[in-house]
Amino acid sequence: MTDFDIIIIGGGMAGASLGAEVAPHARVLILEMEDVAGYHATGRSVSFWEESYGGPQVQPLTSASGPLLTTPDPDFADTGFLTPRGALHIGRAEDRAVRDDFIRAFSGSGVRFEALEGIDVARRIPGLRSAWTLGLAEPSTADIDVAALHAAYLRRFARHGGTMWNAARLIAARHDTQGWHVETTAGSCRCATLVDAAGAWADDVARLCGVAPLGIAPLQRTVVQLRVDANVPADMPVVMDLNGSFYFKPIGGRCLWLSPHDEEPSPPCDAAPEELAVAIAIDRLEQVVDWPIVAVERKWAGLRSFAPDRRPVYGRDSAQPHFFWFAGQGGFGIQTAPAAALIGAALLLDHAPAAAVSTIDAEAYSPRRFHALPLVSAANAG
């Protein structure tokens, strides 16, 4: 039986980033149930970094991650992971209060917005239908190279002596005076601390370890790749509905990625798109722009997992301090990965937080907060 200091369950962006930060200081194993890490949520991202995404409670993590993604340490990557794009939140005349509330929610955060009206909105989106007269530009938004970021974390993890077992599904784990005894489909191992970075499977992993689940719920998000008969600038901003019913992003070659911004409750699984969600997405796009649709080239779905209050969960379990939660990162887990990993590593290793995250209140993301809250569905929270 192989011994480790820390075993991380899950090799997606969460597990890979945390593993890369703790591997220089401990013997670490990542258990990944798939043949290839990043198969689920990490591999299905629409790939943009947006400071306001996830709301004011998540924004400090995203903002702190921005410089780390733009100018990473030379020993981590040779180049940055962000490419400027910008975002444009749009609405109709009756959405003015929604826009005002959106701006107010981020007051004092440092996130920069520019309110737009009429022709200034239409100028940025060719073929925009006349009803869409309100805009809110968020210029800091950027494309993020998810695959390169995930690969960089895995390389750093391996370079610092980290071990990874692919196709290693957790069967059971029990804790006694000698630590955790972990059984997987790839063999047995032991460790002092077990980390749950299993995304949609986070609560299932907790149950297998004899730890009470937190109510982390997977919600399905659908994405469609369309080819249209219109001259859509490849560098056009990500376009989002102020009311959260769609977003789309050009990817070049008259193609775009489109989502109906759906959040359908789902069991943990290899998510597949529903035809109804695809049809809804297309219908919503056609209400926004006059771009004739030539073909649906691809469609896919991913699971975004939320805690009941829609904040991520970083920290030791209240009842079992040798079990560490690093989950509930919703659709913002990739764009917050650098800051989240630094916070998680500091908590896990009992180190002082890195300078980049030293002003972030990690207690806001602690699992301890759930002992004072009633359990509600993530689909109905926030």
Side-chain angles (χ1 to χ4, degrees):
M1 184 178 291
T2 308
D3 287 351
F4 297 91
D5 300 313
I6 298 167
I7 294 177
I8 299 173
I9 301 173
M13 189 67 78
S17 60
L18 183 60
E21 295 298 337
V22 298
H25 310 282
R27 295 172 299 161
V28 186
L29 168 67
I30 293 178
L31 297 177
E32 168 54 50
M33 68 177 181
E34 303 293 352
D35 294 336
V36 178
Y39 174 76
H40 291 283
T42 298
R44 307 180 192 198
S45 168
V46 180
S47 312
F48 58 83
W49 177 93
E50 183 207 354
E51 282 188 277
S52 67
Y53 189 61
Q57 295 176 322
V58 173
Q59 173 266 320
L61 299 167
T62 306
S63 295
S65 295
L68 302 172
L69 291 166
T70 303
T71 312
D73 288 337
D75 69 337
F76 179 56
D78 295 333
T79 60
F81 301 97
L82 298 184
T83 303
R85 174 175 290 276
L88 183 58
H89 308 261
I90 63 172
R92 301 177 175 93
E94 61 268 25
D95 298 324
R96 190 171 299 277
V98 176
R99 186 181 68 177
D100 292 345
D101 288 344
F102 191 97
I103 296 171
R104 192 158 36 245
F106 291 92
S107 177
S109 69
V111 180
R112 186 163 63 91
F113 298 110
E114 179 188 359
L116 303 173
E117 306 280 343
I119 189 64
D120 290 326
V121 181
R123 191 178 289 131
R124 302 193 185 200
I125 308 173
L128 183 68
R129 298 195 185 277
S130 60
W132 299 88
T133 58
L134 293 182
L136 185 65
E138 189 174 352
S140 62
T141 300
D143 291 340
I144 179 169
D145 192 334
V146 177
L149 180 62
H150 186 237
Y153 276 127
L154 290 177
R155 284 195 303 271
R156 186 172 190 232
F157 175 70
R159 191 166 64 247
H160 287 287
T163 301
M164 187 155 191
W165 293 359
N166 289 318
R169 182 182 293 271
L170 178 68
I171 297 172
R174 61 181 176 85
H175 187 268
D176 60 22
T177 56
Q178 295 182 326
W180 287 101
H181 301 257
V182 181
E183 300 294 330
T184 82
T185 53
S188 302
C189 46
R190 294 188 303 198
C191 67
T193 302
L194 202 56
V195 176
D196 187 349
W201 286 262
D203 270 7
D204 287 354
V205 164
R207 292 186 187 97
L208 289 174
C209 299
V211 173
L214 298 181
I216 294 176
L219 304 176
Q220 181 160 308
R221 173 61 50 88
T222 306
V223 184
V224 186
Q225 179 173 311
L226 299 177
R227 182 156 44 89
V228 298
D229 186 15
N231 291 318
V232 184
D235 60 351
M236 196 181 80
V238 181
V239 179
M240 305 176 180
D241 179 17
L242 279 167
N243 289 296
S245 69
F246 63 79
Y247 57 82
F248 55 89
K249 175 181 122 171
I251 59 171
R254 297 195 172 197
C255 292
L256 64 144
W257 286 349
L258 164 71
S259 174
H261 208 271
D262 50 337
E263 290 190 343
E264 291 300 318
S266 170
C269 64
D270 185 1
E274 298 287 343
E275 290 303 322
L276 178 59
V278 172
I280 289 172
I282 292 172
D283 177 67
R284 290 177 181 174
L285 178 72
E286 291 177 332
Q287 293 179 42
V288 177
V289 291
D290 64 359
W291 303 341
I293 295 169
V294 176
V296 175
E297 296 190 330
R298 290 176 58 208
K299 51 190 175 182
W300 67 94
L303 298 181
R304 307 155 73 255
S305 303
F306 291 93
D309 60 3
R310 298 181 75 95
R311 275 182 278 158
V313 186
Y314 315 137
R316 296 182 183 274
D317 187 80
S318 298
Q320 172 47 277
H322 301 287
F323 185 91
F324 189 95
W325 292 91
F326 198 66
Q329 298 180 0
F332 44 79
I334 292 170
Q335 68 175 32
T336 61
L342 291 174
I343 290 171
L347 295 170
L348 188 55
L349 299 169
D350 196 24
H351 289 177
V357 295
S358 60
T359 62
I360 295 176
D361 178 16
E363 188 63 26
Y365 312 114
S366 169
R368 287 190 292 271
R369 70 190 190 265
F370 295 110
H371 290 274
L373 293 174
L375 187 64
V376 298
S377 167
N380 297 321

